[in-house]
Amino acid sequence: SPPRAPFLVGPRLGFTCGPWGSLPDSPPLPGLHTWQEMYGCELRSDGSKGGYDQYGYDGKDYISLDKETLTWTAADAKAQITKRKWEKDLAFAQGMKAYLEKICIEWLQRYLEYGKETLQQRRAQPTLRVTRGAAPDGRETLLCRADGFYPKEMEIAWTRDGEVWTQDTFRGLVTPNADGTYHTWISAKIDPQERDRYRCSVGHDSLPDLVEVAWEEPEASVPPLGLVVGLVVGGLVLLAALIGGIFLYSK
């Protein structure tokens, strides 16, 4: 029978290539299919650690590891078969958890040590901006954007009268920019009459203290001086031409 496309060796992933593919733990399927794994670990500035191990099939989420409970989360009904089989083999999840929390972290610390001089020196302050927009229910949405900051960790929140405000707030992910810095946002739905009570509060390693930003009325645009002078001169010329025309007509 045709070979299965992916196969697992302990917590690692291998591939065989060919015109046939299959879901894990299912009969071979005709055609070409993709089986993907994405995993990684994270060492945060406060010393805490994180990690993930996720799988996809044909470009869609399939199954992922919860390393705290050593269970698998199936993304659809087909993945339930794989979930039941993998959870019978506890050693598989234990091996991946050990890799994410020990081996992966050790390598990450090694790379951080290699580049610590550059990483420790690099600090980029965020550019902050608050905008607003009308909502259909008569309220309005305040949007606070933070862009161009490094390192990645950032505290961003809305406050009302100096207290953290979480009601009707939504936040975006911290996303990388092309230059290696990051950007994120947080919004709040508010009563327009209470707009002055809200502030966007931002804390970051590049800032000596918390920074609070409020929405401000945009300044009225002032036309360039040259344009103003030109309009005045043009108006005077036009006025002189009209007066001259009236004078000639009266004669």
Side-chain angles (χ1 to χ4, degrees), residues 42-242:
E42 184 178 18
L43 183 61
R44 306 183 184 97
S45 57
D46 62 0
S48 60
K49 303 172 184 177
Y52 60 89
D53 184 29
Q54 304 168 350
Y55 296 83
Y57 186 76
D58 281 350
K60 297 181 180 179
D61 291 341
Y62 184 73
I63 196 168
S64 60
L65 172 66
D66 183 337
K67 69 182 186 68
E68 303 306 322
T69 62
L70 296 179
T71 58
W72 296 89
T73 302
D76 56 29
K78 293 178 181 179
Q80 292 289 342
I81 301 173
T82 304
K83 170 183 168 67
R84 289 192 290 269
K85 183 169 184 178
W86 285 8
E87 288 183 352
K88 289 180 182 178
D89 182 10
L90 192 59
F92 178 26
Q94 289 174 332
M96 195 65 206
K97 176 181 173 71
Y99 171 81
L100 293 174
E101 295 184 347
K102 191 174 190 306
I103 299 174
C104 184
I105 293 294
E106 288 175 354
W107 276 102
L108 182 57
Q109 289 174 324
R110 187 176 302 178
Y111 290 132
L112 288 173
E113 182 66 23
Y114 294 155
K116 69 177 181 180
E117 184 174 346
T118 301
L119 293 172
Q120 288 175 352
Q121 290 178 353
R122 185 178 184 189
R123 292 288 186 274
Q125 292 189 358
T127 300
L128 306 175
R129 185 186 178 200
V130 175
T131 57
R132 68 183 181 94
D137 57 2
R139 295 190 293 171
E140 71 178 19
T141 299
L142 291 180
L143 180 64
C144 179
R145 300 178 185 271
D147 192 17
F149 57 89
Y150 187 92
K152 180 180 180 181
E153 291 78 13
M154 165 171 278
E155 299 175 8
I156 184 169
W158 281 106
T159 63
R160 189 174 79 161
D161 299 333
E163 300 293 330
V164 174
W165 183 258
T166 59
Q167 183 176 331
D168 290 331
T169 62
F170 303 90
R171 63 177 64 239
L173 298 174
V174 179
T175 309
N177 295 318
D179 62 358
T181 61
Y182 295 88
H183 67 272
T184 189
W185 58 268
I186 186 170
S187 67
K189 213 176 234 189
I190 66 164
D191 180 346
Q193 302 299 321
E194 299 182 341
R195 186 186 308 130
D196 293 340
R197 301 173 64 184
Y198 292 87
R199 299 288 186 274
C200 177
S201 177
V202 174
H204 189 255
D205 285 349
S206 64
L207 302 171
D209 299 296
L210 283 175
V211 174
E212 291 193 340
V213 184
W215 179 82
E216 296 181 356
E217 189 78 38
E219 295 183 3
S221 58
V222 179
L225 181 60
L227 177 60
V228 174
V229 173
L231 291 174
V232 172
V233 172
L236 292 175
V237 171
L238 180 60
L239 180 60
L242 288 173

